[in-house]
Amino acid sequence: KAVEEPAAEEPKAVEEPKAAEKPAAEEPKAETPKAAGKKAPAAELKEAEKKPAEDKEDLVGAPKVGKVEMYRLYNKNTGEHFYTGNLVERDNLSYLGWTYEGVGWIAPSTSKTPVYRLYNKNAGDHIYTTSAVERDTLVGAGWTYEMIAWYSADGGINPVYRQYNPNAQTGTHNFTIDGNEDKSLGNAGWKREGIGWYAMELFDGIIRNPITKKDGCDWSAVFDYKYYLKNNADVKAAAGGNPNLDAVALNHFVNSGTKEQRQGNASFDEKSYRYANPDLRQAFKSDFQAYYRHYCEKGKNEGRTTRGVSHMQKPTTVYKGIDLSDIYDYDYFLEHQLHISHQLGTDNDTELIEYFAEQGMKLNMAAKASYSQDRYKELYDLVHPDPIKQRAQGYSSPTGWLILVDKSRFTTKIFRGSQGNWETVYEIEVGVGKTETETVEGVFSLGTKQLYFDSWGDGYQIRLWYATQIYGGYLFHSTVYAPEDGPYHLWDDRVGIKISHGCVRMHIQDAKWIYDNVPGGTTIVVYS
């Protein structure tokens, strides 16, 4: 971008020592890189270099002569923009989670005007200055002088403007070659501090050192920025006039493209990689980015397949350790229940069998061309174990019928069969006795039946229908009706709570079912 000079204004000398001021905070203090899990750039530089520079007056990582690309990164946790001419430091910070924004300008590898870099460990913030006085003042105020970061172009014509945000605790300074940005920040409340230094040249748009590291991964095995832009017109269009296309492409690829299963280079196809590796599907399911990351970190060295696989290899038939292959086939289910795949947003075998087991089996959904209904039922009971039914197997009943009342679940179940072979034939949601009038617990034998009975209280009379005796005065019966010749006016139909004087109440059709079907002498088990 062409640099626009402030209109009718001579460049201002940098005020000193403004950066040492500690204005009252008007905004919440942002996290420092340390608090956000990001090391200070200075510390990263020390890790990046194999041995520290012996002379701080040397430009770290820059050639002795010529031009130096100045890289710009952004820490979203602190709001700081960081600048470096060191390629290793750039890559390390991007790897740690800083957002790489591209080349800001071109600096000379040396000149008579060094740019000093200082760090405030309390705020996690950096400042850059050509003023030795400001540098020394800041050191006296507790800042750490780190190095000569780069050089200003002597007799330069490309100013880099400096702005100061008096309301921020970190990310207090911004530096830009864009005169319009300088003015815009001034209008937004930043203090325009003039020209900080001069660039040797503006960035020419030629990507000499494309970035591939971001957010804890080197994506070079699955990403090439030229390929990505060529095959994703929307990304290229979104870049607009931004010449830092490698930064634009990598940020989009990691933040969005990997989650959308976009192909980042010619050699890695996420779908093929996922289809070819059942162990990864079990581990990652539909976390699509994890497949890209795995190949970069492990899969490439393991020699795993990355292309040419168009069909799911060895789709699983096991769910929670239970082999459902007698009733489930991945290809059949995908073909005949395609809407499920669309609903889930994936064709992954792990998600499809999970859906079938947890939802489809409850609907008796077909997942194989042919299967045994008896086997389907057996597997259903394994996948969805019924604690009431399991408990029932330990009891016998002389009538071939059995009733269990689980007070804690507000559920009554009726079974047919025999000890160890009981099958559920009816399930009822019930209300049970209040805390002060608990429903009796134990093993009982079904007693007498009565079409209805009335209950009286202080100024009221109610009628309960289809009463079946559990024990003594404890009965199965309907919810509460008006005392009339028939169940015409329902007064209270609540169930699923502790509400009765000790009886087990239920909706009238359920009470009638027990009344009509379960014979006297049937074993009844009540527990909580």
Side-chain angles (χ1 to χ4, degrees):
K1 296 169 76 171
V3 176
E4 181 181 333
E5 293 277 5
E9 184 178 333
E10 287 294 323
K12 297 179 181 178
V14 178
E15 297 181 23
E16 301 170 355
K18 293 299 183 183
E21 295 177 359
K22 295 184 178 180
E26 297 181 15
E27 296 179 355
K29 183 176 180 180
E31 289 183 87
T32 66
K34 182 177 180 181
K38 306 288 188 288
K39 293 183 180 179
E44 281 309 309
L45 182 57
K46 291 176 183 177
E47 293 178 9
E49 298 298 324
K50 293 185 178 179
K51 55 184 179 180
E54 296 179 2
D55 183 359
K56 279 191 173 183
E57 298 301 311
D58 287 337
L59 174 61
V60 178
K64 294 298 182 182
V65 294
K67 305 173 183 179
V68 180
E69 291 184 334
M70 297 306 306
Y71 307 113
R72 171 167 154 158
L73 300 101
Y74 176 67
N75 186 330
K76 64 182 179 181
N77 297 308
T78 66
E80 178 186 4
H81 278 97
F82 181 76
Y83 307 85
T84 180
N86 186 305
L87 191 61
V88 176
E89 186 171 42
R90 177 200 75 170
D91 288 350
N92 278 354
L93 290 178
S94 183
Y95 184 90
L96 286 170
W98 289 62
T99 298
Y100 175 58
E101 296 184 335
V103 177
W105 67 91
I106 307 298
S109 61
T110 186
S111 78
K112 297 178 181 178
T113 310
V115 179
Y116 306 112
R117 183 169 113 182
L118 299 100
Y119 176 63
N120 184 333
K121 65 181 179 181
N122 296 315
D125 202 8
H126 285 82
I127 193 169
Y128 314 89
T129 180
T130 58
S131 169
V133 175
E134 184 175 36
R135 176 197 65 187
D136 295 343
T137 301
L138 289 174
V139 169
W143 290 63
T144 300
Y145 169 58
E146 294 186 337
M147 65 185 70
I148 292 177
W150 59 84
Y151 290 88
S152 175
D154 292 334
I157 59 172
N158 301 302
V160 179
Y161 302 104
R162 167 171 151 166
Q163 304 86 31
Y164 170 67
N165 185 346
N167 298 317
Q169 289 294 304
T170 186
T172 55
H173 282 81
N174 184 67
F175 303 89
T176 180
I177 60 172
D178 187 346
N180 290 325
E181 182 181 6
D182 179 55
K183 292 177 182 178
S184 177
L185 289 175
N187 292 334
W190 291 63
K191 185 174 182 180
R192 298 167 64 193
E193 294 188 328
I195 296 173
W197 55 85
Y198 287 91
M200 182 179 183
E201 295 177 5
L202 303 183
F203 179 48
D204 58 10
I206 299 175
I207 309 297
R208 297 172 179 83
N209 298 294
I211 192 162
T212 59
K213 295 180 180 180
K214 180 175 172 63
D215 296 350
C217 184
D218 182 349
W219 303 93
S220 58
V222 298
F223 172 78
D224 174 79
Y225 86 93
K226 292 181 179 178
Y227 178 96
Y228 195 67
L229 292 171
K230 180 180 178 181
N231 291 277
N232 293 279
D234 59 322
V235 180
K236 188 170 184 178
N242 187 342
N244 291 287
L245 295 177
D246 60 330
V248 172
L250 180 63
N251 288 330
H252 184 277
F253 175 72
V254 175
N255 295 336
S256 301
T258 53
K259 299 170 186 178
E260 297 167 356
Q261 301 170 271
R262 299 200 192 197
Q263 193 160 333
N265 65 12
S267 62
F268 180 84
D269 172 45
E270 182 276 335
K271 182 174 284 189
S272 290
Y273 194 64
R274 181 164 48 89
Y275 280 1
N277 293 288
D279 60 324
L280 302 186
R281 297 195 302 270
Q282 286 289 337
F284 304 143
K285 296 187 177 180
S286 289
D287 179 3
F288 299 123
Q289 186 182 90
Y291 295 91
Y292 296 85
R293 189 181 288 270
H294 180 271
Y295 182 71
C296 293
E297 296 174 348
K298 296 180 180 179
K300 182 178 180 180
N301 291 335
E302 295 170 357
R304 297 206 184 208
T305 300
T306 62
R307 292 191 60 78
V309 182
S310 59
H311 186 269
M312 192 79 67
Q313 302 298 298
K314 300 179 181 178
T316 186
T317 59
V318 177
Y319 179 68
K320 291 186 176 179
I322 302 169
D323 187 354
L324 302 179
S325 58
D326 288 343
I327 63 171
Y328 177 84
D329 177 80
Y330 168 80
D331 292 315
Y332 181 93
F333 188 70
L334 182 63
E335 178 183 354
H336 291 81
Q337 308 292 347
L338 188 59
H339 66 286
I340 302 300
S341 176
H342 292 160
Q343 177 182 327
L344 297 176
T346 182
D347 60 354
N348 244 25
D349 55 337
T350 50
E351 277 96 334
L352 289 183
I353 197 169
E354 179 179 355
Y355 181 91
F356 169 70
E358 293 295 337
Q359 306 296 329
M361 292 183 76
K362 294 178 181 179
L363 303 172
N364 200 32
M365 188 178 286
K368 195 172 184 179
S370 61
Y371 56 91
S372 163
Q373 281 289 352
D374 289 340
R375 181 59 175 157
Y376 197 107
K377 190 173 186 307
E378 290 175 8
L379 290 170
Y380 179 91
D381 288 343
L382 290 175
V383 174
H384 299 278
D386 179 352
I388 300 177
K389 182 179 179 181
Q390 289 177 331
R391 187 178 187 124
Q393 306 310 317
Y395 295 95
S396 61
S397 177
T399 63
W401 291 75
L402 176 68
I403 300 177
L404 262 67
V405 179
D406 187 328
K407 292 166 55 179
S408 64
R409 292 182 171 87
F410 303 104
T411 299
T412 293
K413 289 194 175 185
I414 297 93
F415 303 91
R416 292 293 306 272
S418 59
Q419 187 171 7
N421 293 289
W422 296 110
E423 294 295 337
T424 306
V425 294
Y426 204 80
E427 180 174 346
I428 305 169
E429 183 182 16
V430 298
V432 297
K434 293 180 286 188
T435 301
E436 61 272 21
T437 54
E438 288 280 1
T439 300
V440 66
E441 295 185 10
V443 180
F444 311 105
S445 180
L446 191 148
T448 60
K449 297 181 180 181
Q450 189 173 346
L451 181 61
Y452 67 86
F453 70 96
D454 290 348
S455 178
W456 288 267
D458 186 12
Y460 71 87
Q461 178 183 355
I462 58 174
R463 183 157 293 181
L464 299 313
W465 291 86
Y466 301 111
T468 298
Q469 186 183 37
I470 300 171
Y471 170 77
Y474 296 93
L475 312 170
F476 296 116
H477 61 68
S478 75
T479 48
V480 179
Y481 285 81
E484 300 169 322
D485 293 340
Y488 304 130
H489 294 93
L490 178 63
W491 281 359
D492 186 349
D493 203 33
R494 288 177 293 168
V495 294
I497 57 175
K498 291 185 173 185
I499 192 171
S500 75
H501 290 98
C503 291
V504 179
R505 68 154 65 173
M506 58 195 69
H507 299 307
I508 193 168
Q509 68 272 17
D510 297 324
K512 186 177 187 301
W513 195 93
I514 293 177
Y515 183 89
D516 290 342
N517 291 283
V518 183
T522 292
T523 298
I524 302 172
V525 182
V526 183
Y527 64 94
S528 55

